[in-house]
Amino acid sequence: MLLLVGLGNPGSNYTNTRHNIGFKIIDKLVEKNEADWEVKKLAYYSSFKKKGRQFLLIKPSTFMNKSGKAVRYWALKEKIPLQNILIITDDLHLPFGILRLKSKGSPAGHNGLKDIENQLNTSNYPRLRFGIGQKTRPFDQVKFVLDQWNETEKTRINKRISVCTEAIVCFGLEGINSAMNRFNGK
């Protein structure tokens, strides 16, 4: 069994912001697999099976910097080992649309990942980072991540989200090493 966690902020004013890419990616995965969302404890919840593997998906209903509580709850409730959890999030330090899968790592300043690390008492869990960075510096990082996609990004976002869903399914069916080899930097 796998637990896939898309990070974002609840509420319509955050829907199309860069910081909510984790929600967007996981929404697309649920749509592609003809599953539905349910409101459950601490999260929006969905599930589907693919090639004999059970995929559980959540979008924490807390704000991003408190996502760890939902991750911890669902991992314990469903008895999912750390290596079968995948956190999907934005990364300000990667160029737009670039993917980086890792089996563990630091939060790199990401408050959602910091909270997950605190709740799980470890940084040894897989994550998929979606690049939202821009080349122009300096800039207001908080404003940037909470802004909506610019026109150039809007033209490329759906294709990049589709690649992310392929990477997630690869993780679920073939493991983190295969997914890293096939999708990192793409």
Side-chain angles (χ1 to χ4, degrees):
M1 190 177 297
L2 304 154
L3 177 62
L4 310 174
V5 182
L7 297 188
N9 285 309
S12 59
N13 50 327
Y14 296 105
T15 300
N16 291 310
T17 63
R18 292 179 181 95
H19 216 27
N20 271 37
I21 190 64
F23 279 10
K24 285 284 192 199
I25 293 165
I26 212 156
D27 281 340
K28 181 55 83 174
L29 193 58
V30 166
E31 178 188 317
K32 278 184 170 183
N33 288 281
E34 299 176 354
D36 295 307
W37 288 109
E38 300 175 57
V39 176
K40 293 215 176 182
K41 185 170 182 174
L42 299 172
Y44 298 92
Y45 173 96
S46 188
S47 67
F48 62 85
K49 280 190 176 182
K50 187 176 271 307
K51 295 186 179 180
R53 297 297 307 260
Q54 183 72 33
F55 290 73
L56 304 179
L57 306 93
I58 65 167
K59 296 188 298 185
S61 54
T62 60
F63 281 93
M64 186 180 296
N65 61 353
K66 296 293 181 186
S67 299
K69 191 172 183 179
V71 175
R72 184 175 185 273
Y73 172 81
W74 285 100
L76 290 173
K77 181 182 185 318
E78 299 295 338
K79 298 176 178 70
I80 299 173
L82 287 173
Q83 69 270 16
N84 287 358
I85 298 171
L86 181 66
I87 308 297
I88 302 116
T89 190
D90 61 301
D91 190 325
L92 184 62
H93 305 293
L94 290 174
F96 172 80
I98 297 297
L99 307 183
R100 172 124 348 115
L101 283 137
K102 293 178 83 176
S103 60
K104 60 184 177 180
S106 76
H110 194 288
N111 289 329
L113 295 178
K114 282 180 190 175
D115 191 59
I116 292 167
E117 183 176 319
N118 288 338
Q119 289 286 328
L120 298 178
N121 293 316
T122 185
S123 61
N124 294 334
Y125 58 85
R127 73 266 334 258
L128 168 58
R129 294 177 185 248
F130 181 99
I132 63 164
Q134 72 170 16
K135 296 175 186 169
T136 310
R137 307 252 188 232
F139 64 100
D140 181 341
Q141 291 182 1
V142 172
K143 182 179 180 329
F144 181 76
V145 300
L146 295 177
D147 269 348
Q148 303 219 352
W149 302 102
N150 66 36
E151 292 307 313
T152 303
E153 293 164 336
K154 285 179 186 176
T155 63
R156 298 180 53 211
I157 194 74
N158 289 333
K159 185 174 183 181
R160 301 308 306 153
I161 288 173
S162 184
V163 172
C164 283
T165 62
E166 292 171 26
I168 293 166
V169 170
C170 180
F171 165 80
L173 300 179
E174 301 174 30
I176 188 68
N177 289 331
S178 180
M180 286 172 22
N181 288 334
R182 288 182 48 199
F183 291 95
N184 272 352
K186 303 264 170 147

